[in-house]
Amino acid sequence: MFGADALNFIFQNPLADTTVSIITKTAKILTKGADAFLPKPNQQPVQQIIKMDPEPLWKLAGRGGIFVKLAAISGSAAVVLGAYGAHTVLPDKDKDENAKVAFQTANRYHFFHTLALLGVPLCRYPAISGSLFILGLSLFSGTCYYYSITGDNRFRRLTPVGGTCLILGWIAMLF
């Protein structure tokens, strides 16, 4: 009796049924072709699933989409300021070397964090990380640009605050 129960269990279970079904359908395809699976004239046709195009990324940005627009503005400003610095601030022989290095650093960080701003809508809390990036860009790059162009360093004490905001913006992207 044990042998019959064991054989019934082996050949009559969901896994065995699925395997037999797959083998049977494969055999039909090989012998009769794909016509074996088309509905017969008296059968109801199976409803087909219509595949839709995936949503574009700008629609997926949703509530964080404002940061993509701010990144566009920031990126264009970084290009304009980079060109301005390359043609006026950096070639100036009278400028001290610290002002030139500060301008190049400001422009580099401006570009990098503009790209980071593009990723903000993908965060869980885009308002926090995006606001920190914008504040950090304004305080860090802004004070460096100001010092490089004017030579006035009274706002330079805000540069580390801007750098801290940039660091916190990256950390906020974790959560």
Side-chain angles (χ1 to χ4, degrees), residues 6-7 14-15 22 37 42-44 70 74 87-88 90 95 98 107 125 128 135 143 159-160:
L7 287 176
L15 182 60
I22 291 171
F37 293 98
N42 59 351
Q43 289 181 336
Q44 292 287 344
L70 289 172
S74 178
H87 295 289
T88 60
L90 300 179
K95 288 273 185 186
N98 289 338
N107 198 245
Y125 302 107
I128 295 171
L135 184 61
T143 57
T159 305

Side-chain angles (χ1 to χ4, degrees), residues 64-113:
I66 186 69
F67 293 109
V68 174
K69 293 176 182 167
L70 289 172
I73 293 167
S74 178
S76 61
V79 171
V80 168
L81 285 166
Y84 176 76
H87 295 289
T88 60
V89 174
L90 300 179
D92 191 358
K93 304 277 190 258
D94 297 333
K95 288 273 185 186
D96 67 351
E97 200 59 35
N98 289 338
K100 293 177 182 181
V101 170
F103 191 91
Q104 290 171 335
T105 302
N107 198 245
R108 187 176 335 109
Y109 275 71
H110 191 168
F111 271 115
F112 289 153
H113 289 89

Side-chain angles (χ1 to χ4, degrees), residues 108-144:
R108 187 176 335 109
Y109 275 71
H110 191 168
F111 271 115
F112 289 153
H113 289 89
T114 295
L115 292 174
L117 205 52
L118 285 173
V120 165
L122 302 175
C123 298
R124 187 170 183 179
Y125 302 107
I128 295 171
S129 55
S131 299
L132 285 167
F133 279 136
I134 291 168
L135 184 61
L137 277 171
S138 301
L139 292 176
F140 182 84
S141 294
T143 57
C144 290

Side-chain angles (χ1 to χ4, degrees), residues 37-58:
F37 293 98
L38 295 175
K40 306 295 184 256
N42 59 351
Q43 289 181 336
Q44 292 287 344
V46 178
Q47 289 184 346
Q48 292 184 349
I49 298 174
I50 299 172
K51 292 185 179 180
M52 299 180 68
D53 291 333
E55 288 288 323
L57 285 177
W58 62 268

